[in-house]
Amino acid sequence: MTNARKAAHARVSIADTTAWWSTAVTDIEPGVIRLRGYPIEQLIGSVSFPATAYLMLRGELPSAPQAELLEMALVAAVDHGPQAPSIAAARMAATCGVGLNTAVATGVNLLGDVHGGAGQQCLEILDVLVARSDVPLAEAVTDLLADFRARNAHVPGFGHRFHPHDPRRGPLLTAVAEHVTAGHLAGRHLRAAQEIERQLNEHRSRPVPMNIDGATAVIYGELGFEPELARGLFVLSRAVGILAHAWEERSSGRRIKGPLPPPLLADYDGTPPRDVAGTDSGVCPGHGA
């Protein structure tokens, strides 16, 4: 080690070391755990898990309406059955000899932009609409939808590949509307999402209603969460469903469960059967005869 490096090491103090992992989230010392300043022993039994999640992410305890809406969003997104790729992957992983945590991680790691990211994407466009003050909301939505149509792109948070009408939409939006009427929420994200839905359904025989991703995006927007946290909260919620499915599959005793039940095999649509013999590329002399 050079003298210069030795001198640099010597200048690193204990304060420098403890500051390396400084955090405003959790205060820990022997016999003490504080979350955002609140002693854990006071939170236990008096603050719900959704309210604690709000505290951890936002820095303050939520009001009763805020905690209620967050809990509703988390409950609504908890599961969508084994046809969801994240659930199916977790169930297959659970039969392959890995730990339960690995099976859950397998499912969670599939929650990407296409499967699991629509809530974040919807909140991003709602935030843009809410932030616009140069034009009326209806005009801003018209501009937005024109851009999506020009790109032949799907508007995240609207329509569903399985449900003509997502049964989770109604209770969530009703609750948001009630809290807006009561003055607990501003309602700007709700109005933006409803205007998108209204314009999407103009002159259509088949409606394109808001889905779970759109409804939860409204809630997370009204609660002040950043779009990326909307995906994080969806992952937190769906991880419970993934855990339940992985545990059920583990408990079945099945081994190495694949995507198709035996004896079904995937169709083959490649090159017809052929022999190596008679070809002159890559065949070693004296072999293949």
Side-chain angles (χ1 to χ4, degrees):
M1 183 181 293
T2 65
N3 289 336
R5 290 188 65 187
K6 289 180 180 178
H9 277 278
R11 288 194 298 269
V12 177
S13 65
I14 292 177
D16 293 325
T17 304
T18 56
W20 184 256
W21 286 111
S22 63
T23 174
V25 177
T26 312
D27 183 18
I28 301 291
E29 57 185 84
V32 174
I33 302 173
R34 299 188 188 95
L35 306 183
R36 299 288 190 179
Y38 290 104
I40 189 67
E41 62 270 24
Q42 294 181 16
L43 294 170
I44 295 172
S46 61
V47 177
S48 69
F49 180 74
T52 302
Y54 186 102
L55 169 67
M56 295 292 282
L57 295 174
R58 300 299 306 279
E60 298 293 341
L61 285 169
S63 65
Q66 290 170 330
E68 175 191 323
L69 285 172
L70 178 56
E71 183 172 23
M72 291 180 70
L74 292 173
V75 170
V78 75
D79 189 22
H80 199 250
Q83 79 278 5
S86 55
I87 301 294
R91 295 191 72 119
M92 288 190 289
T95 68
C96 295
V98 301
L100 189 61
N101 61 312
T102 303
V104 172
T106 299
V108 166
N109 285 337
L110 263 64
L111 298 174
D113 289 342
V114 175
H115 173 42
Q120 174 182 341
Q121 296 154 10
C122 183
L123 182 50
E124 287 170 351
I125 65 175
L126 294 180
D127 279 349
V128 169
L129 292 171
V130 167
R132 288 196 67 176
S133 58
D134 56 324
V135 297
L137 175 61
E139 185 176 339
V141 170
T142 299
D143 293 343
L144 173 83
L145 296 183
D147 175 66
F148 273 89
R149 292 188 180 106
R151 294 184 285 112
N152 195 28
H154 170 74
V155 182
F158 296 85
H160 198 284
R161 63 184 177 83
F162 188 80
H163 301 291
H165 295 279
D166 194 322
R168 299 162 292 186
R169 170 196 180 280
L172 296 180
L173 294 188
T174 297
V176 174
E178 289 173 351
H179 285 299
V180 170
T181 300
H184 303 147
L185 301 172
R188 299 181 68 190
H189 287 80
L190 174 62
R191 289 190 290 273
Q194 289 174 328
E195 180 61 20
I196 293 174
E197 186 176 55
R198 185 188 71 79
Q199 292 196 26
L200 277 175
N201 288 308
E202 283 184 328
H203 313 301
R204 292 181 64 95
S205 58
R206 183 179 178 184
V208 185
M210 202 182 314
N211 60 30
I212 177 65
D213 300 306
T216 53
V218 167
I219 289 178
Y220 294 140
E222 294 288 343
L223 294 180
F225 285 107
E226 295 294 325
E228 194 166 1
L229 283 177
R231 186 184 306 204
L233 288 164
F234 173 78
V235 171
L236 176 65
S237 170
R238 185 55 59 89
V240 176
I242 291 172
L243 173 62
H245 280 276
W247 179 246
E248 180 182 60
E249 196 66 60
R250 168 69 60 79
S251 302
S252 73
R254 187 188 303 273
R255 291 167 53 88
I256 313 180
K257 184 173 186 175
L260 294 175
L264 297 180
L265 297 174
D267 291 344
Y268 174 74
D269 58 3
T271 304
R274 52 183 170 173
D275 295 322
V276 172
T279 65
D280 57 2
S281 59
V283 179
C284 297
H287 292 80

